Amino acid sequence: MKLSTGSGTGSRPGRKLSLRAELFISILIVTLLCVLFFGLLSNYLVRRQFEQQFASDQQQVQEPLGPPPPPPSDQQHRVNVINLSYIITGLLGVFLAFILSYYLSSRISKPLSQLSMATRSIADGEYGKQVDVRGGKEVEELGTAFNALSSGLEKNEMLRKNMVADISHELRNPLAAQRGYLEAIEDGVIELSPETMDILVKHNSVLSRLVEDLRQLSIVDAGQMELDIRPMRLDRVFKMVDLSFQHQRAEKRISLKMGISPNLPEVKGDQARIVQVLGNLMSNAILYTPEGGCIELNAGEGDDEVVISVIDTGRGIAKEELGNVFERFYRTDKSRTRHSGGTGLGLSIAKALVEAHQGRMWVESEAGKGTSIFFTLPTN
């Protein structure tokens, strides 16, 4: 019979031993070799000692100065007893080597097997799988890193699903409204009046805003954000933001207070992007500030940075929701529609733009006491 060793079509790869089996065999072989080596060495040394003692006894026979040596049969019996003791000790060593090899291989391979099974679960889509492994500092650190990775994958998958659902929802509503009006116009049910055109333009504006926000996020995520970094004056930036939102503030009778610390260091950044950041924050502040409220726009000096803040007198954010305000499509007020509440991407985009400037953004708020959003720009 001929056995094919080629790798042609239809051949199956040979089965490999598991890590546990390889470790067990390796440790067992090393232990047995050590037992055999030290057994043979000690047996050789003992036999040599007996031979020297036997030669010394023979010399004493020729020169009878001491007691007579034991007969040869008695000496052979002693050698046999020593050999038997080494055989018994060797068998005991083999048994202990087997137990030790099994214990060590299990201790090393068991946590790796747990991690392997958890990894396969994640590959099958079961995100969030956690493991509790023991077996030394390095293995436990690997388990901790795996759990963190698993939790991150679960969160990202949830965000992805929510984002897809939100995008489809936000696109469907204005598209359905536009289609309804266009079909009604086509069927002659309603006339193409200025009011109808205004409704169609507003729905188109919602779509355009959503698509533009998604485009901005895709540019940031791809690391392709291009910044025109130049020295800029924050007082001019603040005035540009004020002029952009005068009409919206007037509709709700919201006052604006601007404060810039004297001798503020020069800030470098992309002026258009910083105006966009402040625009997103101001739009959010106006949205949640009640009529007759107040918004503050401040800039102060920090450690090698300038701290800019937008403070409103709105209803504030609950403590348990603070960690979610920068998530995409997240709304603290679930009752608001996207038409009145924006796309839910403004804060995510603002935070990404600030981080592209090597700055930071964070929020401080308390329910019923307004919200303060801070971000920094480096001065160097």
Side-chain angles (χ1 to χ4, degrees):
M1 181 182 293
K2 295 183 179 180
L3 298 177
S4 173
T5 58
S7 57
T9 304
S11 62
R12 294 188 304 171
R15 295 183 61 185
K16 293 184 178 180
L17 291 175
S18 64
L19 176 62
R20 181 175 181 177
E22 292 182 355
L23 288 172
F24 173 76
I25 295 174
S26 300
I27 297 174
L28 182 61
I29 291 176
V30 171
T31 307
L32 290 179
L33 288 176
C34 291
V35 170
L36 179 63
F37 172 76
F38 286 108
L40 292 175
L41 178 62
S42 58
N43 185 270
Y44 168 75
L45 294 176
V46 170
R47 290 178 64 89
R48 183 178 179 183
Q49 183 67 27
F50 264 93
E51 290 175 357
Q52 291 177 353
Q53 183 65 33
F54 181 74
S56 176
D57 292 342
Q58 291 295 329
Q59 186 177 2
Q60 289 181 2
V61 171
Q62 297 175 1
E63 301 177 3
L65 297 178
S73 60
D74 189 27
Q75 292 179 355
Q76 184 62 39
H77 175 70
R78 293 181 180 180
V79 171
N80 292 337
V81 169
I82 291 173
N83 289 335
L84 180 61
S85 66
Y86 275 108
I87 292 174
I88 295 174
T89 304
L91 292 175
L92 180 61
V94 170
F95 176 74
L96 293 177
F98 183 88
I99 298 298
L100 178 63
S101 301
Y102 181 82
Y103 171 75
L104 291 177
S105 61
S106 298
R107 181 175 175 82
I108 295 174
S109 63
K110 185 177 180 180
L112 297 180
S113 298
Q114 292 177 344
L115 288 171
S116 178
M117 293 177 60
T119 303
R120 284 195 292 270
S121 298
I122 290 179
D124 293 335
E126 299 179 14
Y127 300 108
K129 187 74 173 179
Q130 299 290 296
V131 295
D132 183 17
V133 295
R134 296 289 183 269
K137 179 181 178 181
E138 292 79 5
V139 176
E140 292 182 2
E141 288 179 350
L142 179 60
T144 302
F146 176 87
N147 290 336
L149 174 63
S150 180
S151 298
L153 288 174
E154 183 181 31
K155 182 178 180 180
N156 289 338
E157 178 65 11
M158 185 179 299
L159 290 175
R160 184 190 67 82
K161 291 180 178 179
N162 292 339
M163 185 174 180
V164 170
D166 280 332
I167 291 175
S168 62
H169 173 74
E170 299 308 323
L171 290 175
R172 183 176 63 249
N173 286 348
L175 285 174
Q178 284 187 352
R179 181 177 179 179
Y181 275 100
L182 291 174
E183 288 179 351
I185 294 172
E186 184 180 24
D187 295 337
V189 177
I190 60 175
E191 296 181 356
L192 186 59
S193 62
E195 292 78 10
T196 305
M197 285 295 299
D198 184 60
I199 293 174
L200 291 174
V201 169
K202 286 183 178 179
H203 283 298
N204 185 266
S205 176
V206 172
L207 287 173
S208 299
R209 187 170 70 249
L210 177 59
V211 172
E212 178 59 23
D213 286 348
L214 290 172
R215 189 186 71 85
Q216 293 282 350
L217 283 176
S218 66
I219 291 175
V220 172
D221 290 341
Q224 298 176 351
M225 177 66 67
E226 295 182 0
L227 300 176
D228 183 15
I229 304 297
R230 296 182 183 181
M232 61 180 183
R233 292 178 54 180
L234 287 179
D235 57 338
R236 292 181 178 177
V237 173
F238 282 12
K239 289 179 180 178
M240 292 173 64
V241 175
D242 180 22
L243 291 174
S244 300
F245 290 92
Q246 274 186 351
H247 179 67
Q248 295 183 36
R249 289 193 298 104
E251 288 183 342
K252 297 182 67 174
R253 295 181 291 106
I254 296 174
S255 61
L256 176 64
K257 296 180 181 180
M258 292 189 294
I260 299 180
S261 300
N263 302 321
L264 198 67
E266 185 180 71
V267 176
K268 291 184 179 180
D270 188 324
Q271 181 170 297
R273 296 298 185 182
I274 299 304
V275 169
Q276 181 181 356
V277 170
L278 287 172
N280 287 344
L281 300 184
M282 282 290 296
S283 178
N284 212 54
I286 293 173
L287 181 65
Y288 291 102
T289 299
E291 290 190 8
C294 178
I295 297 176
E296 294 184 21
L297 187 55
N298 301 317
E301 184 178 359
D303 296 332
D304 296 326
E305 60 186 9
V306 169
V307 182
I308 302 171
S309 61
V310 177
I311 305 171
D312 65 54
T313 55
R315 61 183 181 83
I317 303 172
K319 184 177 181 181
E320 60 271 14
E321 294 185 324
L322 282 176
N324 302 319
V325 295
F326 294 112
E327 290 184 4
R328 300 173 185 185
F329 292 104
Y330 185 81
R331 290 177 297 171
T332 57
D333 188 352
K334 305 299 186 298
S335 64
R336 288 187 179 270
T337 64
R338 296 299 184 196
H339 181 71
S340 62
T343 63
L345 298 173
L347 289 180
S348 299
I349 295 174
K351 187 172 186 291
L353 291 175
V354 169
E355 290 176 348
H357 282 79
Q358 308 303 316
R360 300 172 291 116
M361 178 176 283
W362 68 97
V363 59
E364 296 178 2
S365 183
E366 187 176 346
K369 296 185 178 180
T371 301
S372 302
I373 298 182
F374 304 85
F375 70 92
T376 65
L377 293 175
T379 56
N380 296 328

